[in-house]
Amino acid sequence: LRTWSLGLLVLAGALALAAGADEVDEKDVLVLTPANFDDTVKKYPKLLVEFYAPWCGHCKQLTPHYAKAATALKKAHPEVGLAKVDADAHKSLGEKFGVQGFPTLKWFVDGEASEYSGGRTEDTIVSWIKKRMGPPAKEISTKDDHDTHTVSVQVVVMGYFTDKESKDAQTFLKLAQDMDEVEFGISHAAEVHTHAGAKDNSIVLYKKFDEGKAVYDGEIKKKPLKDWILMNQLAYVTEFDQDTSSKIFGSPIKTQILFFGDKTDDKSKAAKTAFDEVAKENYGKMVGVYVNKDKNNVLEFFGVEAADVPCVFVVTSPEKGGSMKKYKGPSKEELSAGASESLKKFVTDYHAGSISPHVKSEKRPASDVDSKGVTTLVGTSFDEIVMDENKDVLVEFYAPWCGHCKQLVPIYDKLGKAFESVESVVIAKMDATANDPPEEINVQGFPTIKFFPAMKNKVPQDFEGERTLKGFKKFIKKNAKVPFELPKKKKSKKDEEDV
């Protein structure tokens, strides 16, 4: 959970699970049951089917987007149907099509099912289906068509090419085919080019926010053009939620500047205005993100309390994996004293490399070692305890909500008791949702268990063994650098129980 992408996916999932759908008009969504399923699939040559469960939070989050997409497509492509089936009530249908989680979306063409690979918002669903109804980019031949198409969704990418067979035009169309979640258009008509004020062999991204459009000035090759679209489809500041998270963290720009605010507070709104200006000035270098204080899971992820709002963080992540780094910006008090000045100084200092990464940490307990002999680590105590060159240290990185972690507790407590009298061995645990482990330790899931042998410049080893009392003891005995003997104790069958 230390990589930025994984961390935010978890948060986005939590947001979806917490969200309940308001009353939604689903008049254009077909309701399927075993009785009408086959007839409906035959009626519609192209049909998107959502397999859902009424209790599923992700399904509730999808509901309004799916309903709006159904209405939009009914007008544009009446031959396409959007349907849903309660696969919890009608398990036979879910089993027939290999449904293993909710929601699962399947795309039926002439009765043959395939996986839906598009997004989960109205625009992305509509765009994905339109790409399968005809050419990847809609051909625009009149001024009226141009004006209608460029405002049809939030973001539209237009290509203006007189020669439809040119290399640049073909590159544009190939990219349009690859980018399911973006709406494309192409025009070969001179009058449309003139009407749009566009040069031949030019590409323009139209958007219903900020300055309204962006003109591409790079070489027409797929990779740089795709990166440009992914960057420019975002506003100067995008509010973080389930719908926008994939765009925010799918951007080629791997630095985000986040403003945690309160829409109901005047001081927060004033600071947000200053933040908007700074985000605009740094557009193309940083992705500006607004997080409202009701996004409790996001606040918790950063160690921010509601009383701390407004405040600012910068977050960076390497292009391929690696560890996320957080940099703490102006506090509530600093923003109140002078938001514009404090924000500009923070961003300048960040770019200059003069700010150290922020380490999230709980308060250190009065006693590091609990009654079971297990040492509790926090962000600020990790190096002192774990990196002690005279200690062999086993660390479990866990999450309080993790079922596997909860199952491990009784075994890990017995392990702590078993080594309680061994001075050279430390059995430790860290809540990795409330504390940041050092950046070189990549915690990808829970529980993650690592061993730090007694030596200078410790290099952690992944725990490899059975998660039983016997398995842990065997691993520590084999890998410990300091010799030790455990007190003799009669084993019980329960001690050997696996997770």
Side-chain angles (χ1 to χ4, degrees):
L1 197 67
R2 288 277 290 155
T3 55
W4 182 230
S5 56
L6 178 60
L8 267 296
L9 283 173
V10 171
L11 288 173
L15 287 171
L17 290 169
D22 296 327
E23 286 297 318
V24 177
D25 186 354
E26 297 183 84
K27 66 181 186 300
D28 296 316
V29 177
L30 306 167
V31 179
L32 303 182
T33 67
N36 68 352
F37 192 95
D38 290 342
D39 288 341
T40 305
V41 170
K42 289 177 183 176
K43 179 179 178 181
Y44 290 89
K46 291 183 173 65
L47 181 71
L48 183 63
V49 179
E50 176 200 359
F51 295 83
Y52 76 98
W55 44 261
C56 164
H58 293 285
C59 303
K60 293 175 183 177
Q61 185 77 4
L62 176 62
T63 297
H65 297 284
Y66 200 70
K68 290 176 184 176
T71 299
L73 285 162
K74 185 177 182 180
K75 295 176 182 177
H77 293 282
E79 71 276 24
V80 176
L82 262 70
K84 66 177 186 177
V85 56
D86 182 347
D88 190 45
H90 305 297
K91 290 182 171 60
S92 60
L93 285 174
E95 291 170 1
K96 180 178 180 180
F97 294 101
V99 173
Q100 297 183 347
F102 301 119
T104 291
L105 284 83
K106 298 278 185 178
W107 176 241
F108 290 79
V109 177
D110 296 328
E112 292 293 324
S114 62
E115 295 298 324
Y116 169 79
S117 59
R120 301 292 176 93
T121 63
E122 176 193 356
D123 282 356
T124 56
I125 293 169
V126 170
S127 178
W128 190 91
I129 290 176
K130 281 185 175 180
K131 294 277 178 80
R132 281 141 186 86
M133 300 304 297
K138 182 176 181 180
E139 189 157 335
I140 305 298
S141 56
T142 70
K143 293 184 285 187
D144 287 345
D145 283 349
H146 179 273
D147 292 346
T148 300
H149 188 61
T150 52
V151 296
S152 59
V153 290
Q154 285 291 306
V155 172
V156 176
V157 181
M158 277 294 304
Y160 302 92
F161 304 97
T162 300
D163 181 1
K164 63 174 67 178
E165 301 301 327
S166 70
K167 180 180 177 182
D168 288 347
Q170 294 306 307
T171 297
F172 181 81
L173 289 172
K174 287 176 183 176
L175 181 61
Q177 185 70 59
D178 291 347
M179 297 187 73
D180 286 332
E181 298 183 7
V182 179
E183 185 70 29
F184 284 78
I186 190 168
S187 178
H188 310 297
E191 70 165 2
V192 173
H193 297 192
T194 301
H195 173 68
K199 297 178 181 179
D200 189 23
N201 275 34
S202 66
I203 297 168
V204 179
L205 183 147
Y206 295 89
K207 46 189 172 182
K208 293 184 178 181
F209 45 84
D210 295 342
E211 74 285 359
K213 70 177 185 179
V215 180
Y216 184 63
D217 60 2
E219 191 175 1
I220 300 180
K221 290 187 174 181
K222 283 180 71 174
K223 178 65 166 65
L225 179 55
K226 181 178 181 179
D227 284 350
W228 178 82
I229 292 170
L230 291 173
M231 181 180 76
N232 283 275
Q233 70 175 344
L234 292 168
Y236 296 138
V237 178
T238 301
E239 182 166 357
F240 177 76
D241 57 30
Q242 174 71 4
D243 304 332
T244 62
S245 60
S246 61
K247 288 184 178 180
I248 291 170
F249 305 108
S251 169
I253 299 170
K254 298 305 177 185
T255 300
Q256 296 86 24
I257 181 166
L258 295 88
F259 181 92
F260 293 83
D262 179 357
K263 293 179 181 178
T264 65
D265 180 69
D266 289 340
K267 289 183 178 179
S268 178
K269 287 189 279 187
K272 168 67 164 46
T273 300
F275 176 81
D276 290 347
E277 286 301 313
V278 171
K280 182 178 179 179
E281 290 170 5
N282 287 273
Y283 192 72
K285 300 176 184 175
M286 298 172 147
V287 176
V289 182
Y290 174 81
V291 182
N292 201 53
K293 74 169 188 177
D294 60 355
K295 301 293 190 294
N296 295 325
N297 293 290
V298 188
L299 267 66
E300 181 181 338
F301 187 78
F302 283 88
V304 174
E305 301 288 341
D308 299 332
V309 170
C311 61
V312 175
F313 279 82
V314 161
V315 184
T316 62
S317 178
E319 184 72 30
K320 294 181 181 179
S323 299
M324 177 187 71
K325 293 182 181 179
K326 294 178 281 190
Y327 299 85
K328 194 170 185 179
S331 65
K332 180 178 183 178
E333 293 72 26
E334 290 168 327
L335 289 170
S336 179
S340 182
E341 296 80 5
S342 60
L343 282 166
K344 288 180 178 179
K345 182 180 186 304
F346 169 59
V347 172
T348 299
D349 290 345
Y350 166 76
H351 286 311
S354 57
I355 301 177
S356 298
H358 171 72
V359 177
K360 181 174 68 171
S361 179
E362 293 179 293
K363 185 178 179 181
R364 189 167 182 169
S367 173
D368 292 326
V369 184
D370 65 20
S371 61
K372 303 294 185 181
V374 177
T375 297
T376 299
L377 303 172
V378 297
T380 54
S381 69
F382 188 94
D383 283 350
E384 177 190 334
I385 297 171
V386 177
M387 306 312 285
D388 183 340
E389 63 185 67
N390 298 309
K391 304 285 188 181
D392 289 298
V393 185
L394 185 73
V395 182
E396 176 207 0
F397 299 94
Y398 72 96
W401 43 261
C402 165
H404 292 292
C405 304
K406 291 176 182 177
Q407 286 180 303
L408 186 59
V409 169
I411 295 172
Y412 212 69
D413 284 348
K414 287 174 183 175
L415 184 66
K417 271 293 182 187
F419 281 91
E420 194 171 25
S421 62
V422 180
E423 185 67 25
S424 63
V425 176
V426 176
I427 306 300
K429 63 181 180 181
M430 171 184 261
D431 179 351
T433 67
N435 302 276
D436 287 337
E439 62 187 67
E440 65 272 11
I441 299 171
N442 198 13
V443 177
Q444 289 284 355
F446 300 118
T448 290
I449 303 171
K450 292 187 179 283
F451 184 70
F452 298 78
M455 58 169 55
K456 291 183 178 180
N457 304 317
K458 290 188 175 187
V459 177
Q461 301 172 218
D462 290 333
F463 170 76
E464 295 177 348
E466 294 182 5
R467 292 180 182 177
T468 62
L469 185 60
K470 181 178 179 180
F472 281 121
K473 286 180 179 180
K474 183 179 179 180
F475 179 87
I476 295 171
K477 187 72 174 177
K478 178 182 177 181
N479 293 279
K481 297 298 183 183
V482 179
F484 67 87
E485 289 295 333
L486 284 173
K488 299 293 183 181
K489 184 179 179 182
K490 187 177 179 181
K491 298 175 185 176
S492 69
K493 190 173 182 181
K494 192 176 180 182
D495 287 343
E496 302 304 322
E497 199 174 297
D498 202 350
V499 176

